Amino acid sequence: MDFNLTQEQTQLSDTLRRWIEKEYDFEARRAIIKSAEGVSADAWSGLAELGLMALPVPEAQDGFGASGSDMFAVMQELGKGLLVEPYLATVSGVQYLKQDAEKHAELLQQVAGGEARIACALGEAQSRYNRYDVAMTAKADGDGYILNGRKTVVVHGAQADHLIVSARTDGDPRDHSGISLFVMAADAKGITRSDYRTIDGMRAADINFADVRVQVASLIGAAGEAWPIIDVVSDYSCALICAEAVGIMQATYETTLEYLKTRRQFDQPIGAFQALQHRMVEMFIEVEQARSMAMLAAARIGSDDAEERRRTVSGAMIRVGQAANRVGEEAIQLHGGIGMTNEMQVAHYFKRLTMFGAVYGDVDHHINRFTHQPAFPQSA
């Protein structure tokens, strides 16, 4: 397959790169992280003006209907800029809304115009990476449902205008069946959000739902049949996380290379030492292998073959996760102690790479998922 970006994707990447250099440089990002909300309304408006919010939205709802490969180009650049805005959370939410696009057309149009931000409240304290492990309940009540439970580590949960929430309408807590999805206003009565900063500068929240009432129209898909939707959208999010990580690794490699050219020891740049050159070559190989797997995952997330999609996405999460650890650790070692200080951009790259897989599954989780696909040979 062709791993080169198209002309349109390259143009979009270049435009986004220039915007980041002008409006979202390292110092601007540090100021945003230290702010009370942890995100920037001006940056969100800038992303919307560039058309990024409309990119994944269907054309029928005023979007562009972008492919996975288009989103790869965007996420790679956002990774290089270490964006802390709720972009990934919102575009993941768009994928859920697209399952019932006509019903939720108004919200999709608001997202496309940059007027709404979404967070996906799926994880619970006991569930770890298993999104089917849902203890939160949604009890039928007249023309709606009453939701009770708690969601944890909801990325940008406190910055969202709308939440997409999984809750159990039937079955036992670890059943794949009986899970339903609802979309609701984030400030609905009965919702309380506890906001905090994560180690990589992002924001997350623990959210309590106490007798939160929603209408039947809030359902995404059919009641009790949400697991296939969650499975598909989780893979979509994984593919985008891989693309973001590739962008971060590329920036980490370039920053480290520049440092080796300027840091001097024994009257010469330390980059002249052959042992360090070998380590930089190994970093380069890690980045390129991760890029290839991430691009493959982005191309396959729209596949009708669920087994192929799961296998490819988990394969990408494994390879990118391994590369993220290697590249991040090498960068810090090659910089020395100064690489751990907040004044150095490489420290922020390292923190984000360290968090890779924290939400949608680490390397061990995806190895287990990959090896349990039907096409994987099982031992006798």
Side-chain angles (χ1 to χ4, degrees), residues 3 8 20 41 49 57-58 68 85 94 112 120 138 142 164 198 206 228 233 244 248 293 302 305-306 313 331-332 372:
F3 286 103
E8 291 79 8
I20 290 172
E49 290 174 5
V57 176
E85 310 307 317
V94 166
C120 303
I164 292 175
T198 57
D206 296 337
V233 180
E244 179 188 46
I248 298 169
M293 280 302 302
D305 186 335
V313 169
I332 294 298
H372 281 80

Side-chain angles (χ1 to χ4, degrees), residues 13 74 147 151 175 197 213 235 280 284 287 296 305:
S13 295
V74 169
L147 277 65
K151 297 294 184 179
D175 289 345
R197 185 193 301 168
R213 182 174 180 81
D235 279 347
M280 288 303 299
F284 177 81
V287 174
L296 180 61
D305 186 335

Side-chain angles (χ1 to χ4, degrees), residues 231 235 306-315 369 373:
D231 190 40
D235 279 347
E307 292 179 14
E308 179 188 35
R309 185 199 73 237
R310 296 188 191 107
R311 186 168 58 249
T312 304
V313 169
S314 282
R369 184 179 188 240
Q373 293 306 306

Side-chain angles (χ1 to χ4, degrees), residues 269-315:
I270 61 175
F273 301 145
Q274 191 175 52
L276 300 190
Q277 293 174 3
H278 289 170
R279 293 173 72 172
M280 288 303 299
V281 169
E282 290 170 356
M283 283 180 65
F284 177 81
I285 293 171
E286 292 283 348
V287 174
E288 292 306 311
Q289 288 182 345
R291 192 193 314 278
S292 296
M293 280 302 302
M295 293 186 78
L296 180 61
R300 295 282 172 82
I301 53 177
S303 174
D304 293 330
D305 186 335
E307 292 179 14
E308 179 188 35
R309 185 199 73 237
R310 296 188 191 107
R311 186 168 58 249
T312 304
V313 169
S314 282

